Amino acid sequence: EAGVAQSPRYKIIEKRQSVAFWCNPISGHATLYWYQQILGQGPKLLIQFQNNGVVDDSQLPKDRFSAERLKGVDSTLKIQPAKLEDSAVYLCASSLESGAIYEQYFGPGTRLTVT
Amino acid sequence: AQSVTQPDIHITVSEGASLELRCNYSYGATPYLFWYVQSPGQGLQLLLKYFSGDTLVQGIKGFEAEFKRSQSSFNLRKPSVHWSDAAEYFCAVGSNNAGNMLTFGGGTRLMVKP
C-alpha cells in the first residue's frame, strides 16, 4: 500500500513570498492532518480535515495560512506571505477515521526555509 | 489542556546497552499514549501505543513501554540498542474528545556509540 505522499520535499523562499505544499493521503483515509515541526521541537497540529470538512484549525495562523481539501482526498497548505519564523518541516498525516484509536500515518514532510 | 514532557533532549548509549527514554504527560482523563520514531529526512513512524488494558505494551523493533498512571509516565525501553536505532523519538498523548488530536513532546535525540 502506498504511503502518504508530499511534495515538494524542499522549498526555499524569501520572506513575504507565497508557497504551497501538496499532500496525497493513503487511499481510503478519511482524515487528513497538517503539522508544523520547527527544528528541535515536536510536531504541532495546524489543521485536521474529516473528508472535505475542517475538524480543528484552532492552531492555524489564519492571517497567513490556508488549507483546503476540496474533494476529500488530496490537500494543499498555503502560506502567504511567509515569515522567517515559518521555517519548519510541514508534515502531512492521514488516518482511516477521526479518533485517537486510529493510527496516523505520516508523510516524509516538506522542509521550508524562509530567508 | 493536554501536554507531554520529554526531559532528555539528547541521550547517547553504547551499542548493545539498554535504553530508557522518559515521557511524562498531563491529561485529565485516561490518556491514549504513543511513541513515534523519526529518522533524518523521514516522517514519523509509530513504534507502539497504549489505549487500555495491560500497562506494558510491546511495539516494533524490539521496543516496549510501560504506562504508570501514578507517575503520569510512559517510558520507552529497549534491552539492547542497535546502531540503526539512532533517531529522534517522540512521545505523544491523544484525545478522543477532539477528533484524534495528538499533542507531541519535544523529542529525544538518541545517538548510539559503536
Side-chain angles (χ1 to χ4, degrees):
Chain A
E1 145 182 294
V4 176
Q6 291 187 249
S7 66
R9 292 294 310 275
Y10 305 91
K11 190 74 176 180
I12 300 174
I13 62 172
E14 295 181 351
K15 59 184 178 184
R16 290 186 290 273
Q17 286 186 324
S18 63
V19 65
F21 312 127
W22 174 81
C23 172
N24 191 33
I26 292 173
S27 177
H29 280 195
T31 309
L32 184 146
Y33 316 79
W34 284 102
Y35 289 87
Q36 180 192 57
Q37 186 178 18
I38 293 172
L39 186 64
Q41 299 181 19
K44 182 184 80 172
L45 180 69
L46 292 176
I47 189 168
Q48 176 183 342
F49 292 95
Q50 176 74 10
N51 296 310
N52 59 354
V54 175
V55 175
D56 185 343
D57 64 355
S58 57
Q59 298 194 82
L60 186 73
K62 298 180 185 66
D63 58 333
R64 297 183 301 105
F65 286 64
S66 64
E68 60 183 13
R69 193 184 185 200
L70 289 176
K71 295 181 180 179
V73 181
D74 55 354
S75 175
T76 56
L77 176 69
K78 297 179 182 178
I79 308 175
Q80 182 178 9
K83 293 185 175 181
L84 295 176
E85 59 260 35
D86 298 332
S87 294
V89 175
Y90 291 84
L91 295 165
C92 180
S94 69
S95 62
L96 268 175
E97 291 291 341
S98 185
I101 63 172
Y102 295 101
E103 180 179 345
Q104 293 187 27
Y105 294 83
F106 286 80
T110 296
R111 182 176 297 278
L112 174 67
T113 302
V114 182
T115 63
Chain B
Q2 58 201 47
S3 66
V4 178
T5 301
Q6 294 181 244
D8 305 303
I9 297 175
H10 294 99
I11 284 185
T12 301
V13 299
S14 298
E15 190 168 16
S18 63
L19 171 70
E20 183 169 27
L21 302 182
R22 296 184 291 164
C23 171
N24 293 99
Y25 68 90
S26 173
Y27 185 64
T30 300
Y32 296 156
L33 295 161
F34 306 81
W35 274 100
Y36 283 85
V37 61
Q38 186 177 36
S39 298
Q42 303 295 314
L44 281 75
Q45 180 184 24
L46 181 66
L47 285 175
L48 47 79
K49 58 191 175 187
Y50 171 79
F51 291 153
S52 64
D54 192 349
T55 57
L56 184 64
V57 293
Q58 304 295 321
I60 62 171
K61 303 184 181 185
F63 286 92
E64 66 178 26
E66 186 170 13
F67 170 58
K68 293 185 177 179
R69 183 186 300 275
S70 62
Q71 299 177 19
S72 297
S73 70
F74 188 57
N75 294 348
L76 182 71
R77 301 193 295 247
K78 187 170 185 177
S80 177
V81 169
H82 189 263
W83 64 266
S84 60
D85 293 324
E88 185 124 28
Y89 291 80
F90 293 95
C91 182
V93 61
S95 164
N96 216 24
N97 296 329
N100 204 15
M101 179 180 172
L102 289 183
T103 300
F104 286 85
T108 298
R109 180 166 296 280
L110 173 67
M111 290 173 280
V112 180
K113 293 189 299 185

